[in-house]
Amino acid sequence: MDPLKTADDLVRSRFPEARAAFLAGSVLTRRRTATSDLDIVVLLDGPPAPFRESLVHDGWPVELFVQTEAVWRAFAEQETTARQSPLLAMCAEGVLLADRDGLGAALQAESRRRLEAGPPPMTATECEDLRYALTDTLDDFRGCTDPLERTYLVTTLLQRASELALLAGGHWLGGAKWLSRRLATADPDVHRRLTEAAAAAIAGRRNGAAEFEDAVQGVLQQVGGPLWAGYRRGKAS
């Protein structure tokens, strides 16, 4: 089944008054899988927007993000502050299904500009907090003797190290699979080292723990190295 036709039919039948609509997500790329859904952003003048809904349409799982222009802009600002960009990415990279008055083209151009500009830079305080959190968890990992606990520590370290590497390079963050994809695009070598070593550490393979520690340490060295002794937040007593 054609995802573009299905999405277009859904928008036309359910939102004939839409000012703009976008189809986005992995379904439009070579990453499409058997469980890929249709991510559809719809812009309306007013109610019933805003709402989000998951449904099945013509056999396709669909995620609807129905917003007004004002709500879209509020979400875009929230995403930028959080350095996460799902809405901007959907509109920048998606296919424009409907554009009644030029709003769709304008938002797509704005989304592309904002993505290209990158997220707000990491502050010195944020960097220290992330260095400390990563160092502290890495210490726990070194002393861990429980293979089940080690799995949780590795996954936590993998996420934190990946996020720190992205922020250090001025790149957008992502969640779950998008964290992997963002880092793979931004720094393929760091992505490969972290993920391969994480898998080895979880599996308990020989030298896996040491390789993973080295990979995490490599990220820390990019931002000044480990930080634990001397770290303080709040007023001194």
Side-chain angles (χ1 to χ4, degrees):
M1 294 181 290
D2 182 357
L4 194 58
K5 182 180 185 304
T6 301
D8 187 61
D9 289 344
L10 174 59
V11 170
R12 288 178 182 275
S13 63
R14 186 163 174 182
F15 305 104
E17 75 285 14
R19 294 183 65 189
F22 303 85
L23 171 64
S26 302
V27 73
L28 296 175
T29 73
R30 61 179 178 81
R31 295 182 183 272
R32 174 177 167 180
T33 70
T35 60
S36 292
D37 56 15
L38 307 182
D39 294 323
I40 303 177
V41 179
V42 180
L43 278 294
L44 303 179
D45 281 321
F51 69 90
R52 176 175 176 172
E53 182 180 350
S54 300
L55 65 143
V56 176
H57 181 80
D58 282 350
W60 280 94
V62 179
E63 291 277 6
L64 283 175
F65 305 87
V66 184
Q67 304 168 344
T68 63
E69 181 180 358
V71 169
W72 186 97
R73 294 192 178 283
F75 268 112
E77 290 302 323
Q78 291 174 20
E79 287 187 359
T80 300
T81 299
R83 304 184 181 94
Q84 296 264 15
S85 60
L87 178 61
L88 292 176
M90 284 192 288
C91 294
E93 301 165 3
V95 173
L96 195 54
L97 298 172
D99 193 7
R100 190 183 74 195
D101 55 9
L103 177 64
L107 293 183
Q108 188 163 67
E110 180 178 343
S111 296
R112 289 170 177 170
R113 286 195 301 270
R114 295 179 73 138
L115 283 179
E116 180 65 25
M122 179 171 52
T123 67
T125 297
E126 288 173 322
C127 185
E128 287 184 354
D129 289 345
L130 292 170
R131 287 170 60 200
Y132 170 80
L134 193 56
T135 302
D136 190 54
T137 307
L138 190 58
D139 285 342
D140 287 341
F141 173 72
R142 288 194 192 98
C144 181
T145 58
D146 185 327
L148 300 182
E149 285 186 1
R150 185 185 302 117
T151 299
Y152 285 88
L153 289 168
V154 170
T155 55
T156 299
L157 286 166
L158 178 60
Q159 178 175 340
R160 289 179 175 174
S162 297
E163 290 174 346
L164 183 55
L166 285 169
L167 291 175
H171 302 289
W172 292 98
L173 298 174
K177 65 184 181 184
W178 283 103
L179 179 59
S180 174
R181 292 176 184 181
R182 297 280 190 221
L183 185 57
T185 299
D187 195 328
D189 183 59
V190 169
H191 176 263
R192 179 187 55 77
R193 290 189 64 206
L194 281 173
T195 53
E196 289 182 358
I202 289 174
R205 293 201 291 268
R206 183 181 180 183
N207 297 325
E211 290 173 2
F212 184 58
E213 181 179 340
D214 286 346
V216 174
Q217 287 281 13
V219 174
L220 281 168
Q221 293 304 323
Q222 293 181 19
V223 291
L227 175 63
W228 195 86
Y231 175 81
R232 180 191 289 271
R233 285 293 175 263
K235 295 181 180 179
S237 58

